[in-house]
């Protein structure tokens, strides 16, 4: 049976969907209707077979909302409702983590079929969109595959490489990502080996030339965090930086100069102890 959660800001829309789906979807066990994603709690998404129907019609940043929901509720399967009938938009929602989508012209019958497919672990899409998704997967793989090397960077290694591009030390990366310092060192060792380069500066240059900071692979990772000195927990980097030792992230022009080595000082840590 399917545990369905509807999130739509218009009350008659979400209640109308709930009423229609109760009649049309015999496999739907329970339906919860919410006005905002913030109202969603772990109890609702913790049940097996949970599918979240997210109305993105009036959402300014639908893919961003999907990403945030995926970070907070990683086990829920998200279907985006009201997506523009545009290949690029649909691919953006897939990149964000949606496993189903419905355009504004979709019918209730199509909605029921999509919900049931998603609950089975499938993804319904047209052959054209399937081809676009395949091309995008190949592009993302190329972003993380060093030239001449056989092994691609992992998602976490890509995130660490971006922070190396910003000139952060191992200690700063550890605080930003809320991971152990030894783990950071292991990631840096692996990055150096996969890129077949001896120094952190060359990793930074590769990440800059690859425009890794713009990669959807990096942007779709859980939000990077900085230490909250008031309480010892981690905060998202979208918030104001704490009053501590972490320096501000350089602007894009300085970032380029750092990556190219024109203004980079000698690395604090040698390649042998990344």
């Amino acid at each position: 049976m399917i545990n369905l959660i509807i999130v739509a800001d218009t009350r008659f829309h979400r209640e109308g969907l709930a009423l229609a789906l109760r009649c049309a979807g015999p496999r739907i066990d329970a339906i919860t209707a919410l006005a905002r994603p913030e109202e969603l709690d772990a109890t609702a998404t913790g049940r097996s077979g949970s599918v979240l129907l997210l109305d993105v019609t009036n959402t300014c940043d639908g893919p961003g909302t999907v990403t945030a929901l995926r970070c907070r509720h990683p086990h829920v399967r998200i279907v985006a409702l009201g997506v523009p009938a545009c290949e690029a938009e649909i691919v953006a929602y897939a990149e964000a983590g949606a496993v189903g989508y419905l355009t504004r012209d979709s019918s209730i019958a199509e909605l029921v079929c999509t919900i049931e497919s998603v609950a089975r672990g499938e993804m319904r899409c047209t052959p054209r969109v399937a081809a676009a998704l395949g091309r995008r997967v190949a592009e993302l793989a190329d972003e993380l595959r060093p030239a001449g090397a056989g092994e691609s960077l992992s998602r976490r290694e890509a995130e660490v490489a971006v922070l190396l591009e910003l000139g952060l030390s191992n200690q700063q990366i550890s605080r930003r990502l809320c991971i152990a310092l030894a783990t950071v060192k292991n990631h840096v060792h692996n990055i150096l080996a996969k890129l077949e380069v001896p120094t952190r500066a060359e990793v930074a240059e590769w990440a800059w030339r690859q425009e890794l900071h713009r990669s959807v692979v990096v942007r779709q990772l859980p939000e990077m965090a900085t230490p909250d000195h008031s309480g010892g927990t981690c905060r998202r980097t979208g918030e104001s930086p704490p009053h501590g030792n972490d320096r501000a992230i350089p602007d894009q022009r300085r970032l380029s100069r750092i990556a190219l080595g024109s203004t980079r000082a000698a690395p604090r840590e040698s390649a042998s102890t990344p």
Side-chain angles (χ1 to χ4, degrees), residues 7 10 58 78 181 184 190 217 229 232 236 240 245 253 270:
V7 178
T10 304
N58 299 321
I78 300 175
L181 180 59
V184 175
N190 292 338
V217 174
H229 294 278
R236 295 173 182 170
S240 301
N245 295 326
R253 286 175 296 181
S270 66

Side-chain angles (χ1 to χ4, degrees), residues 137-154 158 194-195 206 210 212:
V137 168
E139 291 171 3
L140 295 177
D142 287 340
E143 289 178 1
L144 299 183
R145 183 175 297 116
E151 196 173 358
S152 301
L153 300 187
S154 69
K194 289 180 179 181
L195 294 183
W206 174 82
Q210 199 75 5
L212 201 59

